Amino acid sequence: MSLVRRLSNETLHLVPTAIETPAYDRPGARIGVVHFGPGAFHRAHQAWYFDEMLKAGGDFAVSAVAVRSGEVEDALGPQDGLYALAEREAEPRLRVIGALKEVLTAPRAPDRVLARLADPSVRIVTSTVTEKGYCLTPAGDLDLAHPDIRRDLQGAGHPASFPGWLVAGLAARRAAGHPPFVAVSCDNLSDNGSRLRRAVVQLADAKGDRGLAAWIAAEARFPSTMVDSITPATDDELREKVRRELGLEDAWPVQRERFVQWVVEDELDADAAAFAAAGVTLTHDVAAFEKAKLRLLNGAHSTLAYVGLRLGHETVAQAMGDARLAGFVERMMRQDIAASLPAAQGLDLSAYVAAVLARFRNPAIAHRLAQIAWDGSQKLPFRILETTAEALAAGRPLERLAVPVAAWMLFVRTRARTDEAITDPMADTLLDLGRRLTGEPAADVEAMLALPAIFPPALSADPRYRAAAAAAYVKLDTDPASALGA
């Protein structure tokens, strides 16, 4: 039996013509982007956008840099940076992405990484390094006690931290008389651009180079962003699917839903048109998009989780197959949550709701409700309760907004009674309280609302909200479908 050949520049021509491959001069494409943290999300998201920009003729080839681990380089280096992206939908689609022209591991090739950052052809530096990669204190300042930051401040050798690499690259550009690159954080942090700016400026200052710190603060741009696309982890099933369809081996394919969103603060200057043409939303109000995502998408997700579990469903797609629940969630999104969101240029709330509902119905992604139900004490205050407090203050209806919270209360009570674990930072407190709930609606709701870490006084002390929560609690406890209304 012959061995399957591996995906690479040499074998790319063997990919079946029905599968899209890079439709541009890949060998001649110039590197204009450095990306830190080339994990699955980047390769399914930003790299796809850069592939679109390369198709349009721009210089957006990517130098992908792993800050520590050599896993991505080991997987994709022999493939010349090529990999397959599978879109998981009822009608799936496969595409070979060519945006990653080189894959580097910073500790293995520090001089090459620094040379890329100093190269004036590189205009954009993007990142998906997770919140930990910013080396921040809980207050949002640079953590000077962080081991990587301490190493960077000692000045021996090459940078250890992600902020350290940015400072080193910006210092090299300033010394050479080149303008700074635009640092585009793509991590799922609110106000991520400002957070990154603060870390980089503070590190430059802590290193004793106040001139560099002032130059970065005055000249460099750190636009905030919002990113969104469900990206399930790569597994053996995906590897086998890709091998069958490509006829080639791919050491690390990635997968996501077809929906993809990238919202970037409009500070890209000459590159703005290319980003916009590739489908990136440019705005001066990223926060409005973040709030829409948090309240509409995440709020609806939590509603599906707790109410769906109460109705016996296991996945988001199954829950959306329940017409009563799907209709309730849509009414809550359109009539209750959308009313709490500010208008913003480029943000069509009605279209966004429709897109979210279509994503929830995707049968190809088994997003488990039990997993979405994790960390309810941390999520509900931002996903549902802020919206509820605003509705209360404005005199808008509370009945639907009370349902997911009441469902969460019953979720806690049920898990406590059956001695099932809860994945939540407040698990011990919640389970202890859940065991003491009697099933008497007013008393149970009063006990739950007395958790100040979750419920603000504006809600917990208001008789209108207490009544709405208790009414939803009764219906969900005795006849869950009746809580969903007509």
Side-chain angles (χ1 to χ4, degrees), residues 197-464:
R197 176 196 294 275
R198 192 172 183 178
V200 171
V201 170
Q202 288 181 345
L203 180 55
D205 187 66
K207 289 170 73 69
D209 195 337
R210 293 190 174 180
L212 175 62
W215 181 77
I216 294 171
E219 301 293 334
R221 284 162 293 154
F222 296 80
S224 289
T225 70
M226 189 197 81
V227 296
D228 190 16
S229 190
I230 296 173
T231 308
T234 298
D235 54 20
D236 289 340
E237 180 183 354
L238 175 64
R239 288 188 176 91
E240 176 58 23
K241 167 186 170 63
V242 168
R243 188 196 65 78
R244 286 196 315 268
E245 296 190 25
L246 288 186
L248 298 168
E249 201 75 41
D250 182 350
W252 201 339
V254 293
Q255 57 187 339
R256 64 162 165 81
E257 62 179 331
R258 186 154 297 148
F259 177 92
V260 61
Q261 184 181 35
W262 193 5
V263 180
V264 180
E265 192 174 1
D266 194 358
E267 294 187 353
L268 298 176
D269 291 345
D271 288 319
F275 272 67
V280 177
T281 299
L282 302 178
T283 181
H284 293 294
D285 191 3
V286 174
F289 287 82
E290 290 178 338
K291 184 176 282 190
K293 176 185 174 184
L294 181 67
R295 295 189 177 187
L296 287 170
L297 187 147
N298 298 138
H301 242 172
S302 289
T303 302
L304 285 169
Y306 297 118
V307 180
L309 287 170
R310 193 75 191 164
L311 292 169
H313 303 303
E314 295 185 359
T315 69
V316 171
Q318 288 175 2
M320 288 298 293
D322 183 332
R324 300 164 302 175
L325 180 52
F328 172 84
V329 168
E330 180 169 4
R331 289 191 298 276
M332 186 180 74
M333 293 170 74
R334 293 192 182 278
Q335 298 176 32
D336 303 312
I337 300 177
S340 73
L341 296 170
Q345 184 176 0
L347 177 56
D348 183 334
L349 290 176
S350 181
Y352 185 69
V353 169
V356 168
L357 292 170
R359 296 170 69 188
F360 287 168
R361 291 188 173 94
N362 184 354
I365 294 181
H367 206 162
R368 300 189 65 80
L369 299 178
Q371 182 178 357
I372 300 170
W374 291 357
D375 302 329
S377 70
Q378 310 300 297
K379 294 175 179 176
L380 286 174
F382 303 102
R383 295 183 173 192
I384 297 291
L385 296 180
E386 284 186 352
T387 304
T388 306
E390 291 174 14
L392 184 64
R396 295 194 295 268
L398 304 175
E399 288 74 19
R400 277 185 293 263
L401 291 168
V403 168
V405 180
W408 170 75
M409 293 177 179
L410 287 163
F411 169 81
V412 170
R413 191 188 83 182
T414 300
R415 294 299 170 99
R417 286 182 174 180
T418 56
D419 288 325
E420 292 183 73
I422 294 177
T423 302
D424 194 293
M426 292 182 61
D428 291 342
T429 299
L430 293 174
L431 290 172
D432 179 64
L433 178 56
R435 294 184 189 100
R436 291 186 277 113
L437 298 181
T438 64
E440 199 285 312
D444 284 3
V445 169
E446 182 177 1
M448 295 295 286
L449 291 179
L451 293 169
I454 302 173
F455 296 95
L459 287 180
S460 60
D462 192 286
R464 293 168 294 173

Side-chain angles (χ1 to χ4, degrees), residues 81-102:
L82 294 165
Y83 61 92
L85 168 62
E87 294 181 356
R88 296 190 57 173
E89 298 284 340
E91 296 182 2
R93 194 160 60 197
L94 195 65
R95 170 173 171 174
V96 176
I97 301 295
L100 273 57
K101 191 163 184 179
E102 70 178 7

